[in-house]
């Protein structure tokens, strides 16, 4: 499959992509993960991106497009891909459209995970993430804490609160989402590509997305 996952931070895009990749081997491409890996590795891109990310602002479109132009042409994308956190702005969506046309690839759908603000706000403030970039298991201090506090069940690495998941940065990320990313819902609806899913339980949400993709 070749899909875009839309929805606010905390809607479950990463979880849905992780579950769906088991169904047909499509790769999960999260621009947030790629950027965080660049920050950790101290690359030029990482250095440029970090200040925006820490504040919950968007990284400039051109940096994202340069990165995605390379990523979408890597061999593993031939099996299909699920884009998580990209595109985030209308200019990125336009540029993606042109890039896919150039490399002769057609998207199947844009799926909007339509989850209310109060739900994502609660999820994000209680979310914790394994700090090992190869693992990145997500926990929740209320509903799914690690067995040993602060330690990943899967790999033993520290489980941390992301630097952009302080309350201030989260509120800003949600505002940025409403202003800059939510207009993409109408953008893809106008192209006849939009599907929507809204279940609050993550396993039910995954199933709902799968059903929508079949229809
Ligand atoms: P995420 O993990 O998708 O919530 O992304 C974390 C942060 O990375 C965002 O708050 C932005 O600063 C940056 N980011 C991720 N994807 C994009 C994108 N497509 N365009 C601009 N900034 C992005």
């Amino acid at each position: 499959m070749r899909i875009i996952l839309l929805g606010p931070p905390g809607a479950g895009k990463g979880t849905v992509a992780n579950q769906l990749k088991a169904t047909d081997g499509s790769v999960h491409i999260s621009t947030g993960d790629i950027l965080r890996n660049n920050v950790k590795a101290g690359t030029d891109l990482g250095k440029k991106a970090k200040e925006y990310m820490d504040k919950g602002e968007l990284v400039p479109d051109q940096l994202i497009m340069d990165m995605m132009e390379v990523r979408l042409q890597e061999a593993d994308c031939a099996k299909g891909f699920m884009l998580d956190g990209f595109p985030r702005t209308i200019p990125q969506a336009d540029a993606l459209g042109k890039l896919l046309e150039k490399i002769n690839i057609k998207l199947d759908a844009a799926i909007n995970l339509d989850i209310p603000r109060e739900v994502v706000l609660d999820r994000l403030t209680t979310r914790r993430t394994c700090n090992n970039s190869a693992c990145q298991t997500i926990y929740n201090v209320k509903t799914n804490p690690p067995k040993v506090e602060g330690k990943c069940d899967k790999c033993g690495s520290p489980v941390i609160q992301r630097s952009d998941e302080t309350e201030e940065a989260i509120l800003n990320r949600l505002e940025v989402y409403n202003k800059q990313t939510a207009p993409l819902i109408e953008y893809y609806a106008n192209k006849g590509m939009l599907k929507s899913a809204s279940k609050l339980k993550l396993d039910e949400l995954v199933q709902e997305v799968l059903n929508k993709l079949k229809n």
Side-chain angles (χ1 to χ4, degrees):
M1 68 184 98
R2 295 191 178 91
I3 59 170
I4 294 170
L5 289 164
L6 289 173
K13 300 186 292 294
T15 307
V16 167
N18 267 319
Q19 302 277 325
L20 291 190
K21 76 182 171 198
T23 63
D24 76 347
S26 299
V27 282
H28 169 199
I29 302 179
S30 153
T31 42
D33 285 350
I34 302 176
L35 290 168
R36 278 184 289 278
N37 288 340
N38 274 275
V39 171
K40 264 199 197 149
T43 64
D44 273 357
L45 171 61
K47 283 180 196 145
K48 287 182 194 148
K50 187 173 177 357
E51 57 174 311
Y52 298 99
M53 296 173 75
D54 281 347
K55 282 186 266 175
E57 300 289 337
L58 293 185
V59 174
D61 289 335
Q62 194 56 51
L63 289 178
I64 299 290
M65 288 318 303
D66 291 347
M67 171 178 113
M68 289 306 284
E69 183 149 2
V70 174
R71 181 66 189 94
L72 284 169
Q73 295 182 76
E74 285 174 8
D76 59 349
C77 289
K79 284 180 274 180
F81 50 77
M82 292 166 284
L83 302 179
D84 162 3
F86 170 81
R88 271 298 222 279
T89 63
I90 302 267
Q92 287 182 22
D94 284 339
L96 172 67
K98 287 198 189 112
L99 171 64
L100 293 179
E101 210 173 296
K102 189 173 94 186
I103 58 180
N104 218 358
I105 283 177
K106 207 171 167 300
L107 286 170
D108 300 322
I111 312 222
N112 181 34
L113 304 184
D114 190 9
I115 308 296
R117 176 190 158 89
E118 61 279 11
V119 175
V120 295
L121 194 55
D122 184 58
R123 274 187 200 162
L124 288 172
T125 48
T126 53
R127 181 153 92 172
R128 301 291 181 271
T129 310
C130 171
N131 195 30
N132 171 2
S133 51
C135 177
Q136 300 195 42
T137 299
I138 303 281
Y139 295 92
N140 182 290
V141 287
K142 282 197 210 155
T143 56
N144 176 32
K147 290 195 185 86
V148 177
E149 199 186 324
K151 209 169 167 187
C152 179
D153 296 351
K154 289 194 186 150
C155 73
S157 300
V159 170
I160 56 149
Q161 183 167 29
R162 274 170 37 182
S163 56
D164 63 351
E165 289 186 347
T166 61
E167 187 144 357
E168 193 188 355
I170 289 167
L171 289 173
N172 195 36
R173 282 166 72 200
L174 289 176
E175 187 151 335
V176 167
Y177 172 80
N178 285 337
K179 275 202 196 125
Q180 293 180 264
T181 308
L184 292 178
I185 299 169
E186 200 183 330
Y187 178 97
Y188 286 112
N190 288 339
K191 290 185 184 293
M193 286 171 60
L194 191 76
K195 293 175 192 281
S196 216
S198 59
K199 294 271 193 256
L200 296 185
K201 285 196 180 152
L202 287 168
D203 50 344
E204 291 178 8
L205 183 70
V206 171
Q207 200 49 53
E208 192 184 7
V209 170
L210 272 173
N211 292 342
K212 292 282 168 84
L213 282 170
K214 281 184 206 145
N215 298 324

